[in-house]
Amino acid sequence: MTNEDQQERVNSIDPGTAAFDAGAASTMTGEHLPAAEPVASGPAAPEPGADRHPPTGAMSAERLAMKALETRLLGGERKLRRREVAAGAGLSLLSARKLWRALGFPNFGDEDVAFTERDQAALSTVVDLVRAGKLTEEAAISVTRAIGQMTDRMVVWQIEALVEDMVHEQGVTDAVARKRLVNELPALVDALEEVLVYSWRRQLNAGVQRLAVRAEAGLQASEEGREGDEDDAPLPLARAVGFADLVSYTSLSRRMNEKTLARLVQRFENKCAEIISVGGGRLVKTVGDEVLYIAETPAAGAEISLALAEAFTADEILPEARVAMVWGRILSRLGDIYGPTVNLAARLTTLADPGTVLVDSMTASALEHDERFVMIPQDPENVRGFGEIKPVRLTRGRGQGLILD
């Protein structure tokens, strides 16, 4: 550790409080706007294709549009260096760097003019929460990382969706669409920001309901059929955990071109998101050809699982799906879920036949008195990490299931 870092470690957010975790680092891989160009001390090296650029001192229309968009998004021109921003927020550079890493920012040097006054205001907002005792430093890092990672993924998703739409509607190449998007984004920024804040408030309210108001009721319901010594007993949340896995996705993807594969993936994600949402569940994540979801009750999880299996079986484009669902306890962290319940659901998915839903015996017991479902016991299976289990095939009983528009 350098003398500079040692000194910065002493200058933490507040006297007597520990500095932000020096090991905190973002796993962000998203795209970021480029830093402002440093003032050159000598002649700049010519760019490729410089003969097509405007005369020296002038900026092309594309660069002017990019500069104007950056100024709007960042709240002004980049005029501040990292030490100036940290000092303005009353924070050591070491602590400021930890927050920036949590947000997914690239590393900037002391001489990089990379920040605006809005960057300083945002840094002060987080620091003030710690100084007021509303967040611990560890919680501030974690919450900041959540914002950075989720917005990074969201922005990449939105850009790709807009580019794909332009390619399809305007008949241009991917490269041309990405250039045109710079000129079209200014008309979308305010609306997208408004919907983002609206959605965040709605999702926060739903999260409070799921994780706090109904948590105790879910735990009480999860006690049925349990002896208290299960592997997931210490975990705090009771949830139905499900996986849906497309059949033969790998072989299909090898035969598809980029555009066809992109449409298949988007169709898969859209259909999953719609069914899970209508069923009152939450889509935790999508990884390639597989989706992980949760629901608050065994019945809700069962309805979603059956609807997914039926939807993919009926779809003319997508292949069938293997689906499995397990009712048990989980740990929710970093936007993901963990625990034996999750692992068992994943294992059962590999055992399910295409177009069917499997549950374990405990989940079947929780559903056996619900006339909407019929359980068909299957042959015992040895499952890695769980030994012998007794899978049960879940089928539809009375009722029409989820009603989709």
Side-chain angles (χ1 to χ4, degrees), residues 78-300:
R78 302 178 190 242
K79 297 180 179 179
L80 301 175
R81 295 172 174 82
R82 64 180 191 175
R83 288 187 179 277
E84 295 170 328
V85 176
L91 193 63
S92 72
L93 179 57
L94 181 66
S95 293
R97 285 163 55 192
K98 289 163 192 170
L99 283 168
W100 289 329
R101 284 201 299 271
L103 283 168
F105 291 3
N107 286 330
F108 294 110
D110 282 339
E111 299 307 314
D112 291 329
V113 182
F115 298 94
T116 71
E117 292 181 354
R118 183 175 290 177
D119 290 302
Q120 181 173 309
L123 195 64
S124 297
T125 297
V126 178
V127 174
D128 288 346
L129 289 173
V130 176
R131 288 182 172 144
K134 296 179 180 178
L135 288 178
T136 65
E137 293 169 357
E138 182 178 359
I141 287 288
S142 183
V143 169
T144 302
R145 183 177 293 114
I147 294 171
Q149 290 189 5
M150 294 300 104
T151 52
D152 173 82
R153 183 171 185 264
M154 179 192 69
V155 164
V156 172
W157 186 340
Q158 290 176 338
I159 288 176
E160 296 302 331
L162 292 170
V163 167
E164 183 179 353
D165 185 67
M166 292 173 67
V167 169
H168 182 262
E169 294 296 323
Q170 300 178 19
V172 297
T173 65
D174 185 272
V176 170
R178 291 177 187 277
K179 289 183 179 180
R180 288 186 182 178
L181 184 59
V182 174
N183 292 309
E184 296 194 11
L185 271 176
L188 302 174
V189 169
D190 289 342
L192 292 177
E193 182 177 18
E194 183 176 342
V195 174
L196 169 62
V197 175
Y198 161 77
S199 177
W200 176 81
R201 287 180 175 273
R202 293 287 302 188
Q203 296 290 359
L204 183 59
N205 178 68
V208 169
Q209 298 296 318
R210 286 194 304 265
L211 300 180
V213 177
R214 293 194 288 267
E216 188 61 32
L219 287 176
Q220 291 174 359
S222 74
E223 291 301 323
E224 184 176 352
R226 297 169 64 96
E227 297 178 359
D229 58 353
E230 291 80 9
D231 290 342
D232 65 346
L235 301 181
L237 296 174
R239 293 291 185 270
V241 177
F243 280 92
D245 183 16
L246 287 180
V247 176
S248 304
Y249 170 82
T250 301
S251 59
L252 280 172
S253 63
R254 290 173 179 169
R255 303 195 299 268
M256 294 179 179
N257 59 35
E258 178 183 349
K259 184 176 294 186
T260 304
L261 179 59
R263 289 179 180 174
L264 183 144
V265 171
Q266 185 171 350
R267 187 180 183 91
F268 170 63
E269 291 189 352
N270 289 346
K271 192 174 288 289
C272 287
E274 178 186 9
I275 292 172
I276 293 167
S277 176
V278 169
R282 181 171 76 86
L283 196 161
V284 178
K285 63 181 177 182
T286 302
V287 182
D289 61 341
E290 188 173 65
V291 63
L292 169 62
Y293 56 95
I294 59 174
E296 294 183 24
T297 66

Side-chain angles (χ1 to χ4, degrees), residues 216-397:
E216 188 61 32
L219 287 176
Q220 291 174 359
S222 74
E223 291 301 323
E224 184 176 352
R226 297 169 64 96
E227 297 178 359
D229 58 353
E230 291 80 9
D231 290 342
D232 65 346
L235 301 181
L237 296 174
R239 293 291 185 270
V241 177
F243 280 92
D245 183 16
L246 287 180
V247 176
S248 304
Y249 170 82
T250 301
S251 59
L252 280 172
S253 63
R254 290 173 179 169
R255 303 195 299 268
M256 294 179 179
N257 59 35
E258 178 183 349
K259 184 176 294 186
T260 304
L261 179 59
R263 289 179 180 174
L264 183 144
V265 171
Q266 185 171 350
R267 187 180 183 91
F268 170 63
E269 291 189 352
N270 289 346
K271 192 174 288 289
C272 287
E274 178 186 9
I275 292 172
I276 293 167
S277 176
V278 169
R282 181 171 76 86
L283 196 161
V284 178
K285 63 181 177 182
T286 302
V287 182
D289 61 341
E290 188 173 65
V291 63
L292 169 62
Y293 56 95
I294 59 174
E296 294 183 24
T297 66
E303 288 284 17
I304 291 170
S305 300
L306 288 171
L308 287 170
E310 292 164 356
F312 292 122
T313 298
D315 195 283
E316 297 178 354
I317 298 175
L318 294 169
E320 290 183 302
R322 295 183 177 91
V323 185
M325 190 270 290
V326 175
W327 171 249
R329 296 191 181 190
I330 62 169
L331 175 69
S332 178
R333 288 293 185 275
L334 307 176
D336 208 338
I337 58 174
Y338 306 88
T341 300
V342 183
N343 298 334
L344 179 56
R347 300 281 192 273
L348 283 176
T349 306
T350 64
L351 299 178
D353 291 326
T356 67
V357 179
L358 284 185
V359 299
D360 68 320
S361 57
M362 188 173 295
T363 304
S365 297
L367 294 169
E368 65 182 352
H369 300 301
D370 193 324
E371 63 180 12
R372 292 173 295 177
F373 312 110
V374 174
M375 262 67 66
I376 305 173
Q378 307 292 292
D379 293 335
E381 296 274 1
N382 282 312
V383 176
R384 180 167 55 91
F386 293 91
E388 185 179 270
I389 65 170
K390 298 177 181 179
V392 178
R393 182 175 173 181
L394 176 69
T395 62
R396 190 168 297 287

